[in-house]
Amino acid sequence: MANSVVIIAGTPGVGKTSLAKVLADIFNAKHIDLSELTISKKLFSYYDEERESYVINENAVVDEVLKLVKSEERIIIDTHYPEILPSSIVDKVIVLRLNPLILEERLRRKNWSWKKIRENVLAEILSVVSINAIEKFGPNKVYEIDATGKSINEIAEIAVKIISGEYGHKQGTSIDWLEKLPLDIILRYERKEA
Ligand SMILES: Nc1ncnc2c1ncn2[C@@H]1O[C@H](COP(=O)(O)OP(=O)(O)OP(=O)(O)O)[C@@H](O)[C@H]1O
Ligand SMILES: [Mg+2]
């Protein structure tokens, strides 16, 4: 893994930062948590009260990442919006997927509002991060790992194989929660009240 940029992507709460830290250790790479970088370097435009999140200044974030890419040989970036980064600098995107019911539990533990929980669980159900990543980076650079029921080390083992090029992948998004979950569970996330 030389001169490479690997992105660990996924809906908030799926375990991106936990995995990225383990991988950065294994590959002796620089870990960049894009949300953390955005806040620590104040690379956001404003705080959106309605959406309960910072609106990032995309150009500023990309400039900062490009600077780091020039100075570091190996980089592991974790983010839920990989599509802001230029495709030319990105070697592989690994999208972590998580069963929506487990994701809901994780987001509840963060004390998030139902509005924010349902918005993110619906994004996971609809494969939003994977679809955006494939659109931006093309199907050959995008891989998915189903993290459900796996320890961080088990997920890291699969990610190491992907990064090292030992692991083939299905093109397109292969994890479809719409197919796997009963309709009444999916519809619960459509409701505005918990
Ligand atoms: N494989 C796993 N098994 C069990 N718990 C996990 C696993 N991976 C992460 N977690 C736990 O889930 C929570 C969210 O993990 P983490 O912060 O890594 O997610 P994230 O995708 O980076 O979230 P965010 O987008 O909000 O930064 C943490 O409490 C973490 O300890
Ligand atoms: Mg994180």
Side-chain angles (χ1 to χ4, degrees), residues 16-17 33 78:
K16 300 179 295 296
T17 304
D33 178 335
D78 94 70

Side-chain angles (χ1 to χ4, degrees), residues 29-79:
K30 165 97 179 157
H31 168 219
I32 305 171
D33 178 335
L34 224 51
S35 303
E36 198 262 328
L37 182 83
T38 302
I39 292 167
S40 67
K41 299 232 164 185
K42 299 196 167 55
L43 308 175
F44 49 83
S45 306
Y46 59 96
Y47 183 79
D48 186 337
E49 300 277 346
E50 177 76 18
R51 302 204 62 222
E52 298 169 48
S53 62
Y54 287 99
V55 175
I56 62 155
N57 178 344
E58 290 190 14
N59 291 336
V61 172
V62 171
D63 283 351
E64 194 62 35
V65 170
L66 291 177
K67 260 192 243 164
L68 289 163
V69 167
K70 275 190 192 143
S71 64
E72 303 281 342
E73 228 177 75
R74 301 169 199 169
I75 298 186
I76 298 197
I77 299 173
D78 94 70
T79 174

Side-chain angles (χ1 to χ4, degrees), residues 99-116:
N99 182 299
L101 293 166
I102 311 290
L103 180 62
E104 179 188 344
E105 275 173 36
R106 293 245 187 111
L107 298 179
R108 279 189 190 282
R109 258 182 261 140
K110 287 176 180 249
N111 283 322
W112 280 14
S113 65
W114 174 245
K115 179 171 177 276
K116 216 171 157 186

